[in-house]
Amino acid sequence: MKEIDPPTWAAIFDPANLRRAWKQVRANRGAPGIDGLSVTDFPAWMREHWAKVRDLLEAGRYRPQPVRRVEIDKPGGGQRPLGIPTVLDRVIQQAIAQVLSTKVDGSFHPRSYGFRPGRSAHQAVKQMQADLKEGYAFAVDLDVEKFFDRVNHEVLMRLLRRRIPDARVRRLIGHYLRSGVQLEEGKIEPTREGVPQGGPLSPLLANILLDTLDWELDRRGHRFVRYADDFVILVKSERAAHRVHRSIQRWLEERLRLRVNAAKSRVCRTEEAEYLGFAVRKKTFRASAQAVAEFRHRVKKLTGRSWGVSMRYRIGQLNLYVRGWSGYFALGLKWREVEAWDKWLRRRLRMCWWKRWRRVRRRVAELLKLGCDKHRAISAAMSRKSFWRLSRTYATQLGMSNQWLAGQGIISLSERWIAVHHPTSTKPEPAASPRSRVNLWGW
C-alpha cells in the first residue's frame, strides 16, 4: 500500500489548501450545524476566531462539535439519517480529504468508482456491461446494512495507521469519528461506530475501509464493480455464485465487522440484475423500472394541482429535479421515451395553470392573451370536463404552446437527452470571483 509523506499536517493546514476547502464548502452551501452558524456568516466569524482555532489544532486540543442529525427520505421509502457538521468542521474535514485523497487515491483498486476524481457511476455501469460481454451469467449482489452507520472505528483506525504515518492527523480523524450526534430533541448521543453521512471526510474513509474488500476480491480472481458501498460480483455459474455469496458475506462480517442485509442481497441471472439504478444487459443498459416509477411519482408530486405554491417556485423545483434525474439517467433512455415524457410533463403543467386561472372570465382572458381565438377560448373555459382532460384540448395547447412553456423557463428532457448523447461543445470554466480570493485565515 502507498504511504503518505510525513509532512501531511502542514499540507492540510496550508493557507492555500484551506482556502480551496472553504470555496468547496461554500459552493456546496448546506445547512448550519448545531452552532447555528451559516455559510454566509462564516467568513466574519472565521476572521475573528481562526487564530484561536489554529492554536488549539496545533496543540492537539481541538475537539469537533457533535453533528446535527436530520432524517431525509430515501427514494425506495423510509428515511436515512444525515449528519450535518458545523461549517468550521466541514472546512477542516474538506481540507483533510483534499490532501489525503491525492495521496491515497492512486493505491485504490481500479474497479472502485465511487467518490474518486475522474470517476463516475456511469463508468461503473459500463465496466459491468463490459464484463457481461465476456460470458458472466450470474450476479452476486451483497447489500451492506446501514454501511455508514455501522463502520467499526477500531477496524478503520487500524487501516488508517497503515496509510497515514502522521499521528496528529490520525488523532484528529479519530476525534471526528467520536464527536457525537445531536438528536432532533437536542440530546447529545456518543458515536461508538459509523461515519456520519454529510461530512466531507466520510466518503474517503469509506473508500479506505472498502478498498481492503476490493483487493480481497481481486486476490480471489473475481470480476466485480464497486461504487461506494454498492458492489456486484460476476460469476459464470449459479453454484459458484452461491458459494461466493456465502464466502464474501462471512469475510465482511469477520474481517470488517459489517453486517449484510439478507433481505436485500441476492444471487440472480445477469438478465435480472440492476446496478446503480440501471438494468444492465450485454448490449445496452436502461433506467430501471424502479427509477422510472420514482421519476413519475416525483413529477406528479411537483405538478400536483393542490400544491399551493406559485408557478415560478413550482417550475424552479421541477427543473432542479428533472435536471439532476436526466443528467444521471439520460444514458439509459431511448429518444421515444424522452419525447413522450416531455409531452406528459408539459400537459401536467398546462393542467396546473388551468386550475390556477380558476374562473371562466380569467381563463377566457388568458387564452385570448395567448393568441387563442374567442370561440375556442369560451368553449374550453365553460367546459365541465376535468382539469386533466382540458389540458389536452386544442385551445389550451394553442394558448399554452410549447414555445410559451419554454419561455416560462421549463426545462426540456429532450434537450437534456441530446446534450448527453450528442455533446457539441464544452462549457468553459467560470472565472474566479473576487469573493473567492478573500483571505479568511489571517495570513
Side-chain angles (χ1 to χ4, degrees):
M1 288 185 180
K2 183 180 177 182
E3 289 192 348
I4 296 177
D5 300 330
T8 307
W9 183 271
I12 289 171
F13 294 103
D14 179 78
N17 186 56
L18 288 170
R19 282 193 289 270
R20 191 157 63 94
W22 157 241
K23 288 168 65 176
Q24 183 62 50
V25 170
R26 185 181 63 190
N28 292 340
R29 300 179 182 177
I34 66 169
D35 60 356
L37 186 67
S38 68
V39 173
T40 305
D41 298 331
F42 178 74
W45 183 94
M46 197 61 179
R47 291 189 191 97
E48 183 180 350
H49 295 90
W50 171 243
K52 181 180 179 181
V53 173
R54 180 182 55 196
D55 291 342
L56 290 172
L57 286 164
E58 292 294 336
R61 292 187 288 109
Y62 177 78
R63 295 297 181 268
Q65 297 192 61
V67 300
R68 182 167 65 88
R69 174 168 290 177
V70 296
E71 302 284 340
I72 60 172
D73 294 332
K74 296 171 65 174
Q79 291 190 316
R80 175 186 290 115
L82 189 71
I84 303 178
T86 63
V87 180
L88 173 61
D89 287 325
R90 294 209 291 270
V91 171
I92 296 174
Q93 285 191 43
Q94 180 66 33
I96 297 171
Q98 286 171 179
V99 171
L100 296 190
S101 62
T102 59
K103 295 178 179 292
V104 303
D105 188 77
S107 66
F108 287 155
H109 197 282
R111 285 178 172 265
S112 165
Y113 292 90
F115 308 116
R116 297 182 62 187
R119 290 170 173 257
S120 67
H122 289 164
Q123 291 175 334
V125 173
K126 289 177 180 179
Q127 178 62 65
M128 180 177 172
Q129 186 181 37
D131 290 337
L132 293 181
K133 292 178 181 178
E134 296 186 21
Y136 290 87
F138 288 86
V140 180
D141 183 5
L142 285 167
D143 182 86
V144 180
E145 183 178 355
K146 297 182 179 179
F147 169 73
F148 283 92
D149 297 329
R150 298 279 171 80
V151 169
N152 184 278
H153 289 175
E154 182 183 344
V155 173
L156 178 58
M157 293 306 294
R158 184 171 68 245
L159 294 173
L160 290 178
R161 280 194 291 271
R162 299 179 189 176
R163 292 180 179 266
I164 308 175
D166 196 325
R168 289 186 297 176
V169 176
R170 296 199 305 268
R171 280 197 296 269
L172 182 57
I173 292 174
H175 292 322
Y176 275 113
L177 292 175
R178 300 185 295 272
S179 62
V181 175
Q182 184 187 63
L183 305 180
E184 291 185 354
E185 59 269 21
K187 180 182 176 182
I188 302 295
E189 185 178 84
T191 48
R192 297 183 177 88
E193 63 178 1
V195 291
Q197 294 189 67
L201 195 54
S202 299
L204 177 63
L205 296 179
N207 270 338
I208 289 174
L209 179 68
L210 291 175
D211 188 57
T212 57
L213 169 65
D214 298 340
W215 289 107
E216 177 65 19
L217 293 173
D218 182 89
R219 186 185 68 79
R220 298 186 185 192
H222 293 314
R223 291 292 183 95
F224 71 96
V225 182
R226 182 176 69 81
Y227 186 92
D229 60 323
D230 291 318
F231 67 98
V232 62
I233 307 168
L234 302 175
V235 293
K236 293 189 175 181
S237 72
E238 185 174 8
R239 183 178 179 181
H242 286 289
R243 184 179 67 249
V244 169
H245 184 283
R246 292 191 298 271
S247 175
I248 298 302
Q249 177 176 346
R250 185 166 58 250
W251 189 91
L252 284 168
E253 292 173 348
E254 293 177 357
R255 295 292 296 275
L256 298 185
R257 301 185 190 177
L258 297 171
R259 300 180 190 175
V260 173
N261 189 332
K264 294 184 179 180
S265 301
R266 64 172 184 158
V267 169
C268 65
R269 298 194 67 88
T270 52
E271 290 83 358
E272 305 167 6
E274 293 184 1
Y275 187 56
L276 300 178
F278 291 95
V280 188
R281 304 294 179 262
K282 292 181 180 180
K283 295 184 179 180
T284 185
F285 55 91
R286 305 288 309 282
S288 68
Q290 182 180 349
V292 172
E294 168 62 20
F295 172 77
R296 291 182 63 87
H297 173 76
R298 187 71 181 275
V299 170
K300 281 185 176 181
K301 187 176 180 180
L302 291 170
T303 56
R305 299 195 312 267
S306 58
W307 192 23
V309 296
S310 69
M311 287 302 294
R312 182 177 179 180
Y313 180 80
R314 185 194 299 269
I315 292 171
Q317 294 300 303
L318 181 66
N319 284 348
L320 281 175
Y321 176 71
V322 171
R323 185 179 290 110
W325 191 92
S326 61
Y328 183 77
F329 285 107
L331 282 176
L333 300 176
K334 290 184 177 179
W335 173 250
R336 289 184 179 179
E337 292 175 318
V338 173
E339 278 192 312
W341 286 347
D342 252 345
K343 293 177 182 177
W344 174 71
L345 196 153
R346 287 193 292 262
R347 185 179 175 185
R348 291 206 53 93
L349 286 169
R350 289 187 182 106
M351 177 187 67
C352 292
W353 256 296
W354 193 249
K355 183 178 182 186
R356 186 176 181 82
W357 291 339
R358 290 182 176 272
R359 300 185 181 280
V360 172
R361 288 187 179 181
R362 171 80 184 276
R363 290 172 177 172
V364 171
E366 294 290 347
L367 289 177
L368 291 176
K369 193 188 303 181
L370 293 173
C372 183
D373 64 90
K374 188 174 182 179
H375 173 74
R376 293 184 185 276
I378 293 173
S379 177
M382 295 187 67
S383 173
R384 298 177 65 86
K385 293 179 181 177
S386 67
F387 296 112
W388 181 243
R389 288 279 299 276
L390 289 168
S391 65
R392 203 181 178 185
T393 60
Y394 182 85
T396 53
Q397 291 190 81
L398 177 65
M400 292 178 278
S401 64
N402 294 353
Q403 292 77 14
W404 182 80
L405 291 173
Q408 305 304 308
I410 297 167
I411 198 170
S412 168
L413 272 171
S414 302
E415 290 179 4
R416 296 285 297 168
W417 187 93
I418 292 170
V420 171
H421 285 264
H422 306 285
T424 56
S425 62
T426 305
K427 199 177 208 180
E429 289 291 329
S433 66
R435 276 182 63 198
S436 66
R437 294 191 290 270
V438 174
N439 187 357
L440 305 181
W441 316 101
W443 287 297

